Amino acid sequence: ILYSYMQDFIKLGWRRVGTEVSKKANKYILNRLEEFGLEDVKFEPFEMLLYSIDKWKLIIYSDLLPNREIELECYPLWHTRSSEAEGTVSDLIYIGFGTPKEIKGLKLKGKIVVVDSFRMMNFYPTMDFWRVYEKARLEGALGLIAIHDSPPNTLFVEYATRHQTLKDTNLESGKIPALVIGYENGRYLKELIRLDHNIKCKLLLRSKIEPELTENVVGYLPGKKKDQIILIGTHTDSWFDGAIDNAGANAGFLAIAEYFSKLSIEEREKTMIFAGFAGHEVGSIGAIEFGKKHLDIFNKISTFCMLDGFGSKGYLLESPSRGIIETGLDEARGIFVSENQVLFDIVSNIVFKYKLFPAMYVSAIGAPFSDLGPFISGNVPSIMIISKGIFYHTIEDTADKVLPSHLEKSTKAHIDILNK
């Protein structure tokens, strides 16, 4: 039934927050929670800015090319603003990974920046770590081209204004247009830049933002102790099919809600709140809105458990051949736990029990990824066991990348954690 839940989400289509498909996914979750008998199941609506694009193109101009120009496959860096109407044309400047040492002394003003970006733990781009987009914008660059290390024949998609705080919720688009290209095209472009010091490009992007309503989905299971709460969250939006990210975890979320709904109130020591957050992929806006609305209960939440990235097969992207190898193991996991020894012991023991390997501990306080941020900021003890494979945020995040046995194992492990 877990795999069936996951496929139901995938069949809906691209669950991009603010769209009708996203609203259907939220309705599906609401209906299931009501069916399981959760109490006070409801939507909690809020306003967002819906970003959309209708045209994008990248053309490189060089005297070294047979026709003096070539068009490269690309995709918008989400939440960046439109170029000039016919495209922004300017010189290219390559800045490596955009580290402070590499950028030092370079003049980015009036140019289009080309930056390498590799994905740490398959999901955290180095260009985000070094805040390259923000630096390029502040230095007066006219645009940016990001070269990602996604698998061959795929493009990794992300949004530029990834780093938000509770004061800056990323509802406004980035200030300069930006596109992403794949690794192979990136190598080609970097060689052209090396050989031709007069190389230029045209970066075309037409985007817009408009007000839209979206909603979080919330349901309650009362426990013996009303003033002690376990909060279980998941994000309900996705890129493309989003099997691993996040239909698998959405399926686990429903199965966990169903499991605990079948227990009597005497068997539930603490009250449980199940929350589906909208807008994770545009800056965790749903988690932030939930935090604003429910700040009064933060001191009652004994643990927040975030469900993200369930069931992925293990893959490696070999270097330098760029071949894709299925490992036969689980996908590598990040074990995010706030600095609390009791929680760490519970989670680590379950990780060993279910052999959720390979795995690496990361402080949730030092790195509050996914939708952990608002809760870590509110001093809520938090946990997340997350796996994002090499196909994360690409069109290849499809159902065949998820094994039913992996999905079941992840879900049972979380049930054990929540019981303890």
Side-chain angles (χ1 to χ4, degrees):
I1 194 164
L2 272 165
Y3 207 74
S4 175
Y5 284 152
M6 183 193 78
Q7 288 178 317
D8 285 345
F9 286 110
I10 293 171
K11 287 172 188 173
L12 290 172
W14 184 1
R15 302 171 298 285
R16 189 162 72 85
V17 64
T19 65
E20 287 305 311
V21 175
S22 171
K23 292 171 183 177
K24 286 179 182 177
N26 290 339
K27 181 65 174 173
Y28 179 88
I29 292 171
L30 181 134
N31 288 343
R32 295 289 81 75
L33 295 184
E34 288 182 333
E35 179 186 306
F36 302 152
L38 273 69
E39 297 183 7
D40 197 20
V41 178
K42 60 188 175 184
F43 287 141
E44 293 185 344
F46 61 93
E47 191 175 72
M48 59 169 287
L49 291 181
L50 178 63
Y51 179 84
S52 59
I53 48 177
D54 60 19
K55 191 171 185 180
W56 61 93
K57 186 178 288 190
L58 178 61
I59 299 176
I60 308 301
Y61 301 109
S62 169
D63 289 340
L64 299 179
L65 295 167
N67 297 314
R68 296 192 174 181
E69 67 177 62
I70 187 172
E71 183 176 343
L72 296 182
E73 183 186 11
C74 63
Y75 199 74
L77 187 62
W78 220 252
H79 272 218
T80 63
R81 288 191 180 165
S82 294
S83 63
E84 295 176 14
E86 299 303 316
T88 298
V89 178
S90 188
D91 297 331
L92 291 174
I93 181 168
Y94 172 61
I95 63 169
F97 287 97
T99 64
K101 183 177 179 180
E102 289 170 302
I103 288 180
K104 187 177 181 180
L106 294 179
K107 292 186 167 109
L108 308 186
K109 188 173 182 179
K111 297 178 182 177
I112 293 174
V113 169
V114 178
V115 59
D116 282 313
S117 185
F118 285 8
R119 298 169 304 152
M120 298 181 284
M121 294 176 64
N122 291 330
F123 74 87
Y124 188 34
T126 53
M127 66 169 281
D128 287 358
F129 181 81
W130 294 114
R131 307 295 198 268
V132 177
Y133 180 87
E134 291 88 339
K135 289 177 182 176
R137 175 178 62 81
L138 291 172
E139 290 292 323
L142 298 181
L144 180 139
I145 300 166
I147 302 168
H148 284 297
D149 64 333
S150 55
N153 304 312
T154 67
L155 288 171
F156 173 79
V157 291
E158 185 56 278
Y159 57 95
T161 47
R162 176 188 183 99
H163 295 281
Q164 96 281 303
T165 66
L166 295 182
K167 291 181 180 177
D168 173 17
T169 58
N170 282 349
L171 292 180
E172 293 187 4
S173 329
K175 306 294 184 184
I176 58 174
L179 300 171
V180 300
I181 62 176
Y183 181 86
E184 283 72 23
N185 277 340
R187 288 183 63 185
Y188 179 80
L189 178 58
K190 287 186 289 185
E191 185 63 10
L192 277 176
I193 293 171
R194 187 183 72 81
L195 295 171
D196 183 357
H197 298 296
N198 297 312
I199 191 169
K200 295 181 182 289
C201 88
K202 178 193 284 187
L203 188 161
L204 175 65
L205 175 61
R206 278 211 307 250
S207 65
K208 65 178 181 178
I209 53 175
E210 52 194 345
E212 184 57 74
L213 278 178
T214 188
E215 63 281 316
N216 291 329
V217 190
V218 181
Y220 297 80
L221 282 174
K224 285 195 293 183
K225 298 176 180 176
K226 293 183 180 179
D227 60 346
Q228 292 190 31
I229 296 169
I230 296 173
L231 173 64
I232 301 97
T234 191
H235 72 82
T236 62
D237 54 329
S238 74
W239 288 101
F240 311 121
D241 277 6
I244 301 160
D245 182 31
N246 201 29
N250 295 162
F253 175 81
L254 293 178
I256 292 166
E258 184 174 18
Y259 169 87
F260 282 102
S261 71
K262 291 178 178 177
L263 302 181
S264 69
I265 193 167
E266 292 302 313
E267 295 174 288
R268 288 195 300 267
E269 189 72 16
K270 297 179 174 68
T271 293
M272 306 183 83
I273 300 177
F274 289 81
F277 304 128
H280 161 89
E281 303 292 3
V282 296
S284 294
I285 56 175
I288 290 169
E289 289 296 326
F290 181 92
K292 289 177 182 176
K293 185 176 179 65
H294 298 283
L295 189 59
D296 59 315
I297 66 167
F298 269 34
N299 63 349
K300 298 178 181 178
I301 301 175
S302 57
T303 307
F304 167 55
C305 178
M306 180 64 191
L307 309 180
D308 195 355
F310 268 36
S312 175
K313 296 179 186 178
Y315 292 93
L316 288 177
L317 188 59
E318 271 204 328
S319 180
S321 69
R322 301 272 295 160
I324 297 169
I325 297 175
E326 192 172 335
T327 66
L329 304 172
D330 288 11
E331 188 53 75
R333 286 177 170 86
I335 311 300
F336 290 76
V337 184
S338 47
E339 291 161 11
N340 178 303
Q341 191 64 47
V342 174
L343 278 182
F344 177 79
D345 288 346
I346 290 171
V347 173
S348 59
N349 287 339
I350 297 298
V351 166
F352 277 93
K353 176 182 176 180
Y354 286 92
K355 297 181 173 60
L356 302 181
F357 302 129
M360 177 179 75
Y361 166 72
V362 183
S363 166
I365 293 174
F369 288 130
S370 188
D371 289 335
L372 293 175
F375 305 97
I376 294 296
S377 295
N379 297 314
V380 174
S382 301
I383 57 178
M384 176 175 66
I385 304 174
I386 185 172
S387 65
K388 303 287 189 179
I390 62 173
F391 300 106
Y392 167 77
H393 279 205
T394 75
I395 58 169
E396 291 295 323
D397 182 4
T398 47
D400 59 298
K401 308 303 188 303
V402 177
L403 284 176
S405 58
H406 285 24
L407 200 55
E408 180 184 26
K409 185 166 63 169
S410 292
T411 303
K412 285 182 174 178
H414 281 83
I415 287 172
D416 269 17
I417 289 169
L418 294 168
N419 270 322
K420 288 186 180 297

